């Protein structure tokens, strides 16, 4: 007997929220983040939420907040309205069959459909993806003010609060030597109290990376994330096999096919798993499985999503049996506005993952109505 439940509406909201300070990456300086939120409403009165947030407009990926919204509104939402929401994988198979690319848009839609269905079943989202093996996740913080002294003060403050003891430093805007001096000063100030890692966001050439990696290893840095351009898998393989310092693939992983290429070439020591970059929760789970099968360690990455994408990621990462490098699910802490009725809980260097149905969060829709760009 088919269910009577139907999808009534699929809405995409663009919500601009200022950051707590300028966030300087090699590809963009962020003074605000545009949250791309998808709201799926079904005839049984349930709402599902998803997020397709990216970084710096078109500076990081090939989908912008605006393209994500227009492509969902024009092509994906009409495919879903009127359909039975009880079979999210079937709906996503249809979306994937008719829509090329658009990984962020698909992630937002898939998350909203699974949040909605998990609420219907009364289960946390983690239980629809194999089941959680933990209720909290270690969370790194990114130091990216652009100023060494400010970064040290910020690290000391959050260490003192027992919020983070893993720090990722954004590099690639200075010379290699300038970046190393900045990183080494921060590592010296924090000593053994913290793990210090760097992310160049593709800024270096292979030669610069080899030079930088050696100096960073000497300075006590624990890993280097995506030092070179995403499409140079042979270069990434060279850096990994140089065995100077662990190398993490981030932008090189646009879903399972990239994961297979990188894993086959043993071109990374660590995979940054990102739900949006992987085209959704299922794609991210596949990237993780490919990494694990190739003995590549896992790390839970972020696209600096707000609470929805952050908790969707957390629900999925809670199902990974091995998560050797922890996560960086701090996105909501970089924003000046709270969009949940109860904020996410960060304590003892970890993010707690609720056991409530779906994502386990409660959006403040009045606040969203005030913040959204088109109101
Ligand atoms: C990235 O490249 O990993 C993650 C943390 C942060 O500050 O930027 C992101 C993107
Ligand atoms: Mg990165």
């Amino acid at each position: 007997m088919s269910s009577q439940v139907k999808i009534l509406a699929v809405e995409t909201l663009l919500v601009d929220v200022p950051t707590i300070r300028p966030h300087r990456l090699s590809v963009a300086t962020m003074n605000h983040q545009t949250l791309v939120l998808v709201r799926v409403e079904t005839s049984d009165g349930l709402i599902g939420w998803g997020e397709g947030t990216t970084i710096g407009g078109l500076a990081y990926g090939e989908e912008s907040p605006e393209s994500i919204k227009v492509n969902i509104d024009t092509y994906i939402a009409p495919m879903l309205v009127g359909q039975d929401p009880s079979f999210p994988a079937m709906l996503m198979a249809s979306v994937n069959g008719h829509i090329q690319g658009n990984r962020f848009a698909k992630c937002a839609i898939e998350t909203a459909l699974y949040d909605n269905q998990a609420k219907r079943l009364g289960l946390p989202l983690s239980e629809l993806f194999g089941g959680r093996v933990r209720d909290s996740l270690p969370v790194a913080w990114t130091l990216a003010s652009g100023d060494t002294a400010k970064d040290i003060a910020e690290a000391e403050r959050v260490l003192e609060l027992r919020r983070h003891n893993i720090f990722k430093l954004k590099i690639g805007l200075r010379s290699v030597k300038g970046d190393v001096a900045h990183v080494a000063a921060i590592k010296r100030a924090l000593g053994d109290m913290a793990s210090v890692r760097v992310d160049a966001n593709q800024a270096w050439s292979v030669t610069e990376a080899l030079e930088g990696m050696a100096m960073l290893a000497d300075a006590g840095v624990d890993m280097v994330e995506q030092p070179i351009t995403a499409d140079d898998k042979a270069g990434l393989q060279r850096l990994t096999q140089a065995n100077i310092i662990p190398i993490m693939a981030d932008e090189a992983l646009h879903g399972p096919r990239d994961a297979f290429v990188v894993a086959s070439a043993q071109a990374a020591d660590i995979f940054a798993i990102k739900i949006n970059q992987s085209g959704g929760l299922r794609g991210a789970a596949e990237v993780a499985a490919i990494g694990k099968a190739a003995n590549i360690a896992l790390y839970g990455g972020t696209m600096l999503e707000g609470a929805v994408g952050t908790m969707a990621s957390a629900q999925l990462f809670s199902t990974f049996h091995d998560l050797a490098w922890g996560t960086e699910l701090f996105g909501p802490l970089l924003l000046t506005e709270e969009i949940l009725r109860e904020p996410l809980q960060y304590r003892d260097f970890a993010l707690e993952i609720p056991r409530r149905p779906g994502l386990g969060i409660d959006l403040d829709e009045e606040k969203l109505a005030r913040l959204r760009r088109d109101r």
Side-chain angles (χ1 to χ4, degrees):
M1 197 186 87
S2 72
S3 130
Q4 299 299 304
V5 185
K6 291 212 176 344
I7 297 176
L8 298 179
V10 176
E11 197 185 0
T12 302
L13 293 69
L14 298 184
V15 181
D16 295 317
V17 182
T19 54
I20 56 172
R21 56 152 168 75
H23 196 64
R24 286 166 63 86
L25 285 69
S26 66
V27 291
T29 296
M30 298 166 63
N31 291 295
H32 78 276
Q33 177 59 304
T34 301
L35 305 179
V36 182
L37 299 177
V38 166
R39 182 183 187 277
V40 169
E41 185 175 350
T42 50
S43 57
D44 52 356
L46 296 173
I47 309 290
W49 288 95
E51 183 167 353
T53 294
T54 185
I55 291 172
L58 282 171
Y60 196 102
E62 60 290 288
E63 286 168 81
S64 69
E66 296 76 14
S67 83
I68 294 167
K69 177 171 165 55
V70 85
N71 287 341
I72 292 175
D73 289 351
T74 314
Y75 298 101
I76 304 181
M79 290 177 64
L80 298 174
V81 172
Q83 302 290 322
D84 182 346
S86 313
F87 298 95
M90 210 182 270
L91 294 173
M92 285 313 296
S94 169
V95 169
N96 284 316
H98 290 89
I99 309 279
Q100 302 292 329
N102 287 280
R103 287 169 289 118
F104 286 63
K106 287 174 180 169
C107 176
I109 291 288
E110 188 196 43
T111 304
L113 290 173
Y114 273 99
D115 179 35
N116 178 272
Q117 171 66 357
K119 284 171 176 156
R120 185 167 299 109
L121 297 173
L123 291 170
L125 192 66
S126 54
E127 304 315 290
L128 300 190
F129 284 87
R132 68 176 64 189
V133 292
R134 56 180 79 78
D135 283 317
S136 69
L137 294 164
V139 179
W141 176 251
T142 296
L143 299 171
S145 74
D147 178 282
T148 311
K150 277 191 192 154
D151 281 357
I152 292 172
E154 193 173 294
E156 287 173 341
R157 189 174 60 77
V158 296
L159 251 174
E160 175 73 24
L161 290 171
R162 295 181 58 79
R163 217 177 69 188
H164 310 279
N165 57 6
I166 305 170
F167 297 99
K168 165 157 135 177
L169 279 50
K170 289 290 185 182
I171 59 169
L173 283 170
R174 306 175 178 85
S175 65
V176 174
K177 283 195 173 62
D179 270 339
V180 172
H182 165 74
V183 174
I186 294 175
K187 178 63 190 168
R188 266 196 310 276
L190 302 177
D192 293 336
M193 289 186 302
S195 170
V196 171
R197 304 147 179 201
V198 301
D199 187 355
N201 286 117
Q202 316 183 59
W204 284 344
S205 66
V206 170
T207 321
E208 287 171 323
L210 286 167
E211 182 196 359
M213 285 157 55
M215 293 190 283
L216 290 166
D218 284 347
V221 170
D222 291 329
M223 71 129 105
V224 178
E225 178 174 342
Q226 198 65 52
I228 61 167
T229 183
D231 53 18
D232 187 3
K233 309 280 195 288
L236 209 56
Q237 180 189 42
R238 224 178 119 192
L239 300 183
T240 302
Q241 296 187 357
N243 231 357
I244 297 167
I245 188 168
I247 297 293
M248 181 151 81
D250 177 7
E251 291 94 320
L253 299 175
H254 286 182
R257 279 185 208 282
D258 276 341
F260 177 71
V261 172
V262 175
S264 311
Q266 288 288 309
D269 298 293
I270 310 159
F271 276 1
I273 311 294
K274 293 186 171 179
I275 62 170
N276 271 296
Q277 208 154 249
S278 305
L281 295 155
R282 202 169 75 93
E286 290 174 359
V287 171
I290 291 165
K292 185 171 159 51
N295 272 331
I296 292 171
L298 302 185
Y299 176 70
T302 181
M303 287 303 296
L304 301 177
E305 294 102 335
V308 174
T310 295
M311 191 44 69
S313 303
Q315 293 277 350
L316 180 72
F317 301 160
S318 77
T319 70
F320 297 169
H321 288 243
D322 302 307
L323 192 60
W325 291 81
T327 79
E328 55 180 14
L329 292 178
F330 67 86
L333 299 172
L334 191 63
L335 305 178
T336 52
E337 298 282 351
E338 180 56 64
I339 60 163
L340 299 184
R341 292 192 191 282
E342 289 287 335
L344 301 186
Q345 293 299 310
Y346 291 90
R347 65 167 73 98
D348 285 330
F349 309 112
L351 167 64
E352 292 177 10
I353 311 163
R355 287 189 172 187
R356 290 191 296 282
L359 291 168
I361 55 177
D362 193 8
L363 277 285
D364 183 342
E365 294 212 42
E366 284 157 27
K367 184 85 168 276
L368 284 177
R370 280 203 302 280
L371 290 173
R372 62 187 287 186
R373 192 186 279 184
D374 55 339
R375 293 287 160 88

